[in-house]
Amino acid sequence: MKLLLIRHGQSMGNAEHRMQGHYDTSLSELGRAQASLVAERLRREGWQLAALVASPLRRAAETAGIVAAALELPVTWDERLLEYDIGRLSGVVWTDVEGLFPEVWQQLQGSGPVDFPGEEGLDVFQRRVSSLMADLRGRYQGDEVVGLVSHGGTLSMLICCALNIPPRRPQPFRLSNSSLSILEFQRRGPAVTLLNDTHHLDGLTGDRPSPVGRAPR
């Protein structure tokens, strides 16, 4: 089985430099253009998907809808593909974190653990993503290809789960808006055969990193 891992296009939250998590915003104009380009790439390359599964948060749902239209596929929604829930910091603009949550801001400046008030918890996050991956592996076999449209933190966690990398923050993989990654489950074990590829976005701008780059977007 191959998993095509597609991060959503730029959201209004990305454009406004907000910490997102479960903060639910639509795609920006740039994000819709990015989603159209990754969809056109998949169509042009001739990908035949057994299923297209997406997070129901609007930024991912809109991206999935654009991909689905290009490939003439239905979308299956799965809440296990939601972004990591960062609790009370969801929707907070980065520049406001220092004033609203000074303790969290200090933690973000260091190299130690970071605690977000009301967050989901990395262990819980890992379990829900692992559950999705186990279901997909049980349902799809051989050369079947499944597209997943989700969020940077969630797709990074999925790769970590597949490769047995312990969960941590910041996560080891940074995935750009509308990037394409490929995770293959082979006889000798899982392999990442493409990571954060955005060449289909050549000529577009956007997706600047957050100032400290340590929270799900």
Side-chain angles (χ1 to χ4, degrees), residues 4-10 25-27 31-32 34-40 42 49 51-78 81 146-151 155 178-179:
L4 303 187
L5 310 181
I6 304 161
R7 188 187 171 200
H8 61 80
Q10 184 196 64
T25 58
S26 61
L27 294 177
R32 289 189 291 273
Q34 292 172 332
S36 295
L37 288 172
V38 72
E40 172 57 23
L42 296 177
L49 303 188
L52 181 64
V53 188
S55 160
L57 288 174
R58 278 186 289 170
R59 57 193 186 270
E62 291 178 13
T63 302
I66 292 170
V67 172
L71 301 183
E72 299 182 348
L73 284 172
V75 181
T76 299
W77 310 107
D78 197 312
L81 283 172
V146 177
L148 302 181
V149 182
S150 186
H151 310 271
L155 296 177
S178 285
S179 62

Side-chain angles (χ1 to χ4, degrees), residues 91-158:
V92 175
V93 176
W94 271 102
T95 53
D96 293 340
V97 174
E98 184 175 11
L100 294 172
F101 299 95
E103 292 184 1
V104 174
W105 180 260
Q106 290 180 358
Q107 292 173 357
L108 287 168
Q109 308 315 304
S111 58
V114 181
D115 297 317
F116 295 145
E119 68 181 317
E120 178 176 3
L122 289 179
D123 290 344
V124 175
F125 187 34
Q126 182 188 40
R127 285 197 296 272
R128 73 166 161 93
V129 173
S130 293
S131 170
L132 171 68
M133 186 173 64
D135 284 353
L136 292 173
R137 295 191 67 180
R139 190 176 308 164
Y140 302 101
Q141 306 295 328
D143 295 330
E144 289 185 298
V145 180
V146 177
L148 302 181
V149 182
S150 186
H151 310 271
T154 308
L155 296 177
S156 178
M157 176 61 81
L158 193 147

Side-chain angles (χ1 to χ4, degrees), residues 6 24 28 43-44 55 86 103 113 163 182 207 216:
I6 304 161
D24 200 10
S28 66
R43 187 200 64 77
R44 186 177 63 251
S55 160
I86 56 175
E103 292 184 1
L163 302 181
I182 299 177
D207 191 31

